[in-house]
Amino acid sequence: YRDLHTFELQAPTRLIEWARGNHVCVAGYGQSDGNEILQLIPPPTLLTKETQGLCPERDFKVECGGFSERPVYSLKYVPDTSLLVTSGPPNSSLQVWQVSADDSDLIKSVSTIATENGTEQSWAKIATISARAPWVLHGSRLDRVQITEVESRKNVYTAASRGSEELSNLAFLDCNTLLLCCATGRLCLADIRQPQGLMETMSVPSAPCSEQWCMGTRPGAQGLEPSSQPVARLSSRGLLTLTDLRKTSEFLALAKAKVPSPGSGAEFLCVSWAPALEGYLAISGFDGTVHVYDTQSWDSSGREAEPIFVHKGHTFGGAGGSRDPPLVTVHTWHLQKPRTLLSAASDASLHVWDWVQPCGKC
């Protein structure tokens, strides 16, 4: 490591979201009332674009917070606003929160976005954008995807029905194009200017029916179309696929990660592209580690890939009385620092780490 920071949360979190000013939002996912939503100020070394060596302040600080009566399974900051949107059991409705002004330390609940299928027990996956207005894309199943204007709660778009598969992820590629990933691994594209339906892009390699999938979309590079950015998919047995949405008849690459198969499902599977490092991605959700891979040498052979770095910090710093080893519940990349990641685990630990570039890649 070049640097490592640890912070103990009050409860386990399954999300890490960057907010305004490079602040970090986290929230608890316990089943009891009073799940905390916190906005944290990162250590000063993470607020600068260059590493500055020793720093007297090495901890996160709580800037403001609030409480949710339901578990928070997903949280998204609405760009260019002071709003957060959350989702979680027991249904697919959304909660909208206001991060209070500078003179207050409260995150307040301001409204609820109900869905037509309000009794649906699956929690909604969400994505946000503010290209035209503050929008939230949300849905729990393929036939229940819609876009809602956050402040007015007006429905902007409803996707045409194309099956009722459970969703694992959804994303805005731009202000008009949506990408949906089913738990089965199937990808679907939708254009809000063409309400006639979804366009299926590509299924996944032959796999057991019980296998679960998630996806990671790569942040668009300046001057490139969002559809030209590869989409990564990760399965619960560690299979990784890279897909170019402009040419869906074949895989860009296919590889097998060196991870154990999850013993209790794929609830915390996570794959993400590095926003400031070409061709690098990270995966987690199998155990107490986060694996970083360089995909630039991958081909379509499906061979086992060797990680260039494995973060094992969560496996050593578990809660004192916990019998089970910690499981990484989520990770995300720093927006500007190329090799800096944040990760959280089931023991309520939050880590920020900067891995050293391998000598062969200098």
Side-chain angles (χ1 to χ4, degrees), residues 288-312:
T289 65
V290 182
H291 289 208
V292 179
Y293 291 90
D294 180 358
T295 69
Q296 295 178 87
S297 62
W298 288 6
D299 54 29
S300 57
S301 65
R303 291 178 295 187
E304 187 173 76
E306 190 74 28
I308 61 170
F309 188 82
V310 180
H311 174 60
K312 301 180 180 179

Side-chain angles (χ1 to χ4, degrees), residues 20 77-85 94-99 110-114 128-138 147-156:
R20 291 184 303 174
Y77 164 65
V78 183
D80 304 321
T81 73
S82 58
L83 299 175
L84 305 172
V85 181
L94 310 181
Q95 289 68 51
V96 182
W97 303 81
Q98 174 79 51
V99 179
V110 293
S111 65
T112 297
I113 298 176
T128 56
I129 196 172
S130 288
R132 298 176 180 172
W135 285 357
V136 57
L137 169 66
H138 56 104
I147 297 175
T148 303
E149 206 284 317
V150 175
E151 294 173 318
S152 68
R153 288 173 282 173
K154 177 184 177 181
N155 178 267
V156 177

Side-chain angles (χ1 to χ4, degrees), residues 116 143-147 155-161 178 192 195 197:
E116 293 182 6
D143 58 349
R144 297 168 189 172
V145 174
Q146 61 189 74
I147 297 175
N155 178 267
V156 177
Y157 168 84
T158 300
S161 174
L178 318 175
I192 66 174

Side-chain angles (χ1 to χ4, degrees), residues 189-210:
L189 274 171
D191 190 321
I192 66 174
R193 298 164 297 185
Q194 300 174 359
Q196 63 266 30
L198 301 172
M199 180 182 73
E200 181 178 343
T201 60
M202 191 173 188
S203 297
V204 295
S206 178
C209 296
S210 59

Side-chain angles (χ1 to χ4, degrees), residues 12-138:
T13 184
R14 57 187 295 160
L15 54 95
I16 302 171
E17 175 74 359
W18 290 103
R20 291 184 303 174
N22 270 343
H23 292 178
V24 176
C25 292
V26 297
Y29 66 87
Q31 298 301 318
S32 60
D33 292 344
N35 293 284
E36 282 189 304
I37 299 177
L38 302 175
Q39 182 165 291
L40 306 175
I41 302 175
T45 54
L46 289 184
L47 298 177
T48 59
K49 291 188 176 181
E50 297 180 359
T51 302
Q52 293 188 337
L54 293 177
C55 181
E57 294 289 341
R58 296 185 57 83
D59 288 335
F60 285 83
K61 291 185 177 180
V62 177
E63 181 179 42
C64 54
F67 290 93
S68 171
E69 295 181 355
R70 60 171 63 198
V72 181
Y73 277 29
S74 184
L75 180 152
K76 295 295 180 181
Y77 164 65
V78 183
D80 304 321
T81 73
S82 58
L83 299 175
L84 305 172
V85 181
T86 64
S87 66
N91 55 43
S92 58
S93 65
L94 310 181
Q95 289 68 51
V96 182
W97 303 81
Q98 174 79 51
V99 179
S100 300
D102 294 338
D103 58 349
S104 173
D105 59 0
L106 294 179
I107 297 177
K108 301 177 182 178
S109 174
V110 293
S111 65
T112 297
I113 298 176
T115 57
E116 293 182 6
N117 302 88
T119 58
E120 169 63 46
Q121 293 184 356
S122 298
W123 59 281
K125 283 65 178 181
I126 55 179
T128 56
I129 196 172
S130 288
R132 298 176 180 172
W135 285 357
V136 57
L137 169 66
H138 56 104

